[in-house]
Amino acid sequence: MTNQSTERLVVIGGGMAAVRFVEELVARSYAGTVTVLADEEHAPYNRILLSAVLEGTHNVDAITLRSAEWFAERGVDLRLGARVLEVDRDAAEVMLVDGTRIAFDRLVLATGSIPTLPPIRGLVRFDGSLHPRVHAFRSLADCERLDAEVGRLDEGARAVVVGGGLLGLQVARALSIRGLHTEIVEGAEHLLASQLGEPGGRVLARDLRRLGTDVYTGARAIRMSEEGVRLDNGYELSTDLIVLTAGGRPSTALARRAGLMVRRGVVVDSTLRSVTDDRIHAIGDCAEHRRRVTGFVPPAWEQAGVLADVLTGGFARYDGSRSVARLRATDLEVAVLGDPERATGEIVEMTNPIAGSHRRLVIEGGVIVAAALVGDLSRVGLITQLYDRGTVLGPDEPGQLLLGETAAEPAPLPDEAEVCACAGVTAGAIRGCASFDACRESTRATTGCGGCEPVVRRLLVEASAAPVAVPAG
Ligand SMILES: Cc1cc2nc3c(=O)[nH]c(=O)nc-3n(C[C@H](O)[C@H](O)[C@H](O)COP(=O)(O)OP(=O)(O)OC[C@H]3O[C@@H](n4cnc5c(N)ncnc54)[C@H](O)[C@@H]3O)c2cc1C
């Protein structure tokens, strides 16, 4: 076992899990040396906000999580454009594509996920490249390429988004706001089929159509054609560009080749350690814990914190994460807690297609075990609190939670209520911060999906206006 002060820790991947992990190591004064090998050329950035870059509301600087200088000032060796080709467990080295070999005592895989290519004939050309009209949307490089293409097209040009999940909806909204006539093609019978049931999906489709985006559900794109793309229902959509957002899978090729146990992801225990090799760990989208892979920022950040604690001598354990998904797209509001389609319990549901809202609570033993909210998120804070705390509700309360289209004055949040689901920050921690910037820096609240920003700002304003207690005497 290496002494922590001489330990050479190598991280593969410079994405959202890796950055959080390094921040947590720094905060805990980790004593070894840290090298981050990141294949992307740009300093680590917030992937969730790529659609905001495409939409034009954020520039690249605004989504940068930590600059190269930040790493350098903390003695962390961040190597950008460094793609790892091989992990040699016998020699305890990793090899980069340029042949450089780097020794490790401890290795952390944070390689994220890769987009799945739907089976569309003509999508991939003989040389392995994508058809020139087709775009992936996973990295900043993808986003910049798509952005440049949108810039070249005339107003009113056409775009097809293949995949009606969270990412597809974000991209479709961004393209539509950029002035493209946008259509979504989704193979399932309704949108957001992994998160929502049919009524919620229908409300969303109606909202999208109202916002100018056409939606084809129960239809698969099967073949590239002269003018665009052909669907299995016989339709042909003529289009100037196609964006693939049909899901992803954990990026596990390195781990597999190194002989680590991989099912869907790299299999880890509750210390995020590979079950095959105790020098190697995996966090984020590439990790599989208790047969579950995640694919969202909150669990990736939770795992990063647990692993940093373990590697600095702490006793934290990862016990699986609550699943909280929030759609980040202009004029579309969706929040999903747990798994409202598969959780067992009594269902209390209300759909108002006219107002464009849908709410579903799954209640077991009086406790909210899952929820889906579409259209109106005025109650999301309260419902999340009740869900997090496992509060037992009276028989009328679930129904009351679903009523009230107009938000009443928000009730004061108790200190222990979680406000930022991505970084796990409570109202009390936010109230203790001197300013918005100080809060971002010390707690990382608002630096994930950003959905909590209005509440964080409100709490800080309220806290600064609150009377300061003056000692008597
Ligand atoms: C456009 C988009 C929108 C999203 N929106 C949301 C959202 O609203 N909410 C949410 O919770 N989640 C969202 N996600 C998912 C979220 O971004 C991921 O869950 C999160 O980024 C996982 O972090 P990670 O570090 O595991 O993976 P990533 O952030 O993907 O980082 C992995 C990094 O490793 C690099 N890498 C891979 N292999 C190698 C190698 N061999 N050598 C060197 N580097 C390598 C990759 O290039 C990448 O930079 C979104 C994802 C995308 C693409």
Side-chain angles (χ1 to χ4, degrees), residues 3-24:
N3 182 313
Q4 201 202 94
S5 63
T6 57
E7 188 169 77
R8 293 162 302 175
L9 171 62
V10 171
V11 184
I12 306 182
M16 297 195 70
V19 175
R20 183 74 182 159
F21 173 61
V22 173
E23 288 172 349
E24 295 275 358

Side-chain angles (χ1 to χ4, degrees), residues 395-456:
D396 294 332
E397 282 181 271
Q400 284 157 2
L401 280 172
L402 300 193
L403 294 173
E405 294 291 330
T406 50
E409 188 64 18
L413 285 175
D415 276 350
E416 64 279 16
E418 188 176 87
V419 173
C420 173
C422 293
V425 187
T426 61
I430 292 163
R431 288 189 178 110
C433 296
S435 66
F436 182 70
D437 287 345
C439 181
R440 273 173 79 87
E441 183 55 38
S442 63
T443 67
R444 308 306 286 152
T446 74
T447 62
C449 75
C452 63
E453 186 171 327
V455 182
V456 170

